[in-house]
Amino acid sequence: MADAVTAGASRALEGALPRVFWLDPDVPGHDVPEPAPTLVGDVFADLAVVGGGFSGLWTALIAKERDPDREVVLVEARTAGWAASGRNGGFCAASLTHGYDNGAERWPEEIAELERQGRANLDAIGETVERYGIDCEFERTGELLVATAPWQADGFDESAKAMNALGGTAEVWDGERTRAEIASPTYLGALYERDGVAMVHPAKLTGGLRAACLRSGVRIFENTPVRAIGSTSTGLRLETRGGALHAPKVAWGTGAFPGPLRRLKHYLAPVYDYALMTEPLSEERMASLGWKGRQGVGDAANLFHYYRLTADNRILWGGYDVVHHYGGKVRPEYDQRPETFQRLAEHFFTTFPQLEGVRFTHTWGGVIDTCSRFSGFFGTGYGGRLAYAAGYTGLGVGATRFGAQVMLDRLDGLDTERARLRMVREKPLPFPPEPVRSLGIELTLRATAAADRNDGRRNLWLRSLDAMGLGFDS
C-alpha cells in the first residue's frame, strides 16, 4: 500500500511547474501589472514605506486614508507581493497571535482584547476589499482544525469553550461529523471556527492593495532595495542603488529580509515552507470530497499541513516540512525541494485516497519570518523616526494590517488601544547566535517530529523551551 502511494505521488508530480501558482502569469485570470519604475536620484516624502508585501502595502494605504495630503512613497526590493505575501496559502485569519491558544498562553490578561481587535481587523479587511473593489476571491469560510490522531483532539472542548466565551464561533465535531463535511479516512474529529478565517488569493490581494495605493496617490518604486539607513537633520535617508529616499518618518515592513535594519536579525529566523497545487478538480472529484463549506483546513499535529480550495476548485496543499539553512541563508535555489514535494504528495493521497490520479500543476517554496513567540512583534529605532513590524511566522495575511496600524500609531505619536497592548510593547526572546541557533532549531524540529510520533508527548528539550517562552513552528 505504501509503495502504491509513493508511486502515485511521483506520477502526480510529473510535469508540475517549479513556479508559484498565485504569481504565474500563464494561469487564466492572473493579471500581472507592469513593474513600477526604479527610484533614481533624490526623492522626498512625508512617510517612507519599505517593503511591498502586505505589511508595507497596508501601511501605505492606511497612511493615505488617515491623511490624504500626506506624501507617501513605498519602495520594494523586487516587485510588490513577490515574497511571502504572494506565496502563502491565503489563510486570512482574525487571530493576531498565531491562534487563540498561543495568545492565551502568552498574554492571558489581554486575550479577550486581542481576540476582539483581531475580529475587528478581519472585518475591516473585508470592508476594504469591498470598498476598493479588490477582486481577491475573499471568502469568509472559517477554518477546520482536524485531528488525525487521538491525542490531537485533546483540548478541543476546552479551547472552544474559551474562544466562545470571548465572542468566538467555535464548534467541536466528532469523527463522523468531520468526515461528513470533508471525506477523509484520516479524520478523527475537528475544531471548527466558523467566522475567524477568510480564504483569499494572496497575489490578487497584494495586487489590489497596490492598485488602491496608486489610486490614493502613493508613489511606488519597485526593484529598489534599500542598502543603507542614515540620519539627517530632517529625518532619515534611505540609500538605494540609484539614489536615495528622504523622509522624516519610515515604516519598515520587509518580513524575512531585514536588510540594513540589523537589529531585526536577532529576532528573526528565516525558515522555508513548501506547497503544491493540484489541477482543477472535476465535479465528480469534488463530489467525492464533499467540502461544500470550502473551509480552510489544518491538522493539529505539531508539524502540520494546511490546505484549501481555490476559486476554480484546485487544492493547495502545504506545510509539514520546516527547513532552516545555516546562518539564515535565503537563496532562490531553496524555493524548490523535490524531497519535500514528494513527501507532501504522499501525505495528500493518504488524506484523500479517492483523488488517486489527480495531478499537481505547481510546486514552490518561500521563506517565513519566524520569531520565538510565533506572532508579530513591533518596535522603533532612530529616535522614534523609524517603526517596524515583523515575525508573523506564517500567519501574516491578516495580522499585517494590524501591524501597519501599530507602526503608524507609533510614528504619529498616537496613544491607541493597539499601542497600549503588552503584546505590542513586548519583544520576543531573541534567537541565539550561530552556530547555537541552527543547532537549536535542528534539535527542536527533531524533537517536534518525535512528539508527533509519540502521542504528542514533549521531551525535556521541548518542555524547557516552553518554560522559556521559546518555540519553533511553521
Side-chain angles (χ1 to χ4, degrees), residues 267-282:
Y267 297 104
L268 297 176
V271 299
Y272 276 82
D273 181 44
Y274 295 92
L276 312 174
M277 186 70 83
T278 73
E279 62 190 345
L281 303 186
S282 65

Side-chain angles (χ1 to χ4, degrees), residues 145-461:
L145 181 65
V146 297
T148 57
W151 67 268
Q152 294 174 14
D154 294 343
F156 277 2
D157 287 323
E158 183 179 348
S159 292
K161 182 178 179 180
M163 291 163 69
N164 292 341
L166 300 178
T169 55
E171 303 172 10
V172 177
W173 294 353
D174 63 16
E176 184 178 1
R177 174 68 181 88
T178 306
R179 293 188 296 273
E181 184 71 20
I182 306 177
S184 171
T186 66
Y187 293 168
L188 303 178
L191 176 64
Y192 178 35
E193 171 52 65
R194 287 189 288 111
D195 198 43
V197 177
M199 296 292 106
V200 301
H201 186 303
K204 288 186 177 182
L205 180 54
T206 58
L209 291 173
R210 179 184 183 275
C213 283
L214 290 170
R215 292 197 303 271
S216 298
V218 176
R219 298 174 66 191
I220 296 178
F221 295 95
E222 293 178 308
N223 296 304
T224 302
V226 174
R227 296 186 163 185
I229 308 170
S231 296
T232 69
S233 60
T234 58
L236 296 177
R237 180 181 187 271
L238 307 178
E239 181 182 334
T240 71
R241 190 179 312 152
L245 174 57
H246 303 258
K249 300 175 182 179
V250 175
W252 197 275
T254 58
F257 302 90
L261 194 62
R262 290 189 294 271
R263 69 188 64 196
L264 290 180
K265 296 179 181 179
H266 302 296
Y267 297 104
L268 297 176
V271 299
Y272 276 82
D273 181 44
Y274 295 92
L276 312 174
M277 186 70 83
T278 73
E279 62 190 345
L281 303 186
S282 65
E283 290 186 10
E284 182 180 4
R285 296 279 198 190
M286 285 299 300
S288 75
L289 289 172
W291 213 342
K292 293 181 180 179
R294 301 182 58 82
Q295 303 93 337
V297 185
D299 63 63
N302 292 299
L303 295 180
F304 60 89
H305 307 86
Y306 58 86
Y307 41 109
R308 49 79 56 97
L309 293 168
T310 63
D312 59 350
N313 288 336
R314 300 170 185 260
I315 297 176
L316 177 143
W317 181 270
Y320 194 78
D321 276 357
V322 183
V323 181
H324 174 265
H325 297 279
Y326 185 87
K329 292 184 178 68
V330 178
R331 295 177 176 171
E333 57 266 32
Y334 296 158
D335 289 353
Q336 295 293 315
R337 197 166 190 266
E339 61 268 41
T340 290
F341 299 140
Q342 176 69 29
R343 186 176 296 115
L344 284 173
E346 291 175 10
H347 294 175
F348 176 88
F349 288 111
T350 299
T351 302
F352 298 126
Q354 68 270 45
L355 297 185
E356 180 182 1
V358 165
R359 298 278 181 164
F360 296 104
T361 62
H362 294 74
T363 64
W364 73 93
V367 67
I368 293 173
D369 56 333
T370 297
C371 75
S372 63
R373 74 182 196 186
F374 307 147
S375 55
F377 64 91
F378 318 95
T380 59
Y382 295 90
R385 290 173 291 179
L386 181 148
Y388 59 82
Y392 293 101
T393 317
L395 209 69
V397 179
T400 44
R401 182 185 178 278
F402 173 86
Q405 292 181 299
V406 170
M407 287 192 284
L408 291 171
D409 288 349
R410 288 188 162 175
L411 291 172
D412 293 340
L414 301 179
D415 180 22
T416 64
E417 292 177 324
R418 287 180 295 271
R420 290 191 294 270
L421 289 167
R422 184 164 69 89
M423 177 259 198
V424 167
R425 292 183 285 107
E426 291 181 344
K427 295 283 196 311
L429 288 172
F431 290 107
E434 296 290 8
V436 177
R437 173 183 291 213
S438 288
L439 177 61
I441 290 172
E442 180 62 26
L443 286 172
T444 301
L445 291 174
R446 291 186 181 186
T448 301
D452 282 339
R453 293 192 300 268
N454 292 293
D455 296 329
R457 290 189 290 272
R458 299 171 74 78
N459 65 12
L460 179 61
W461 174 259

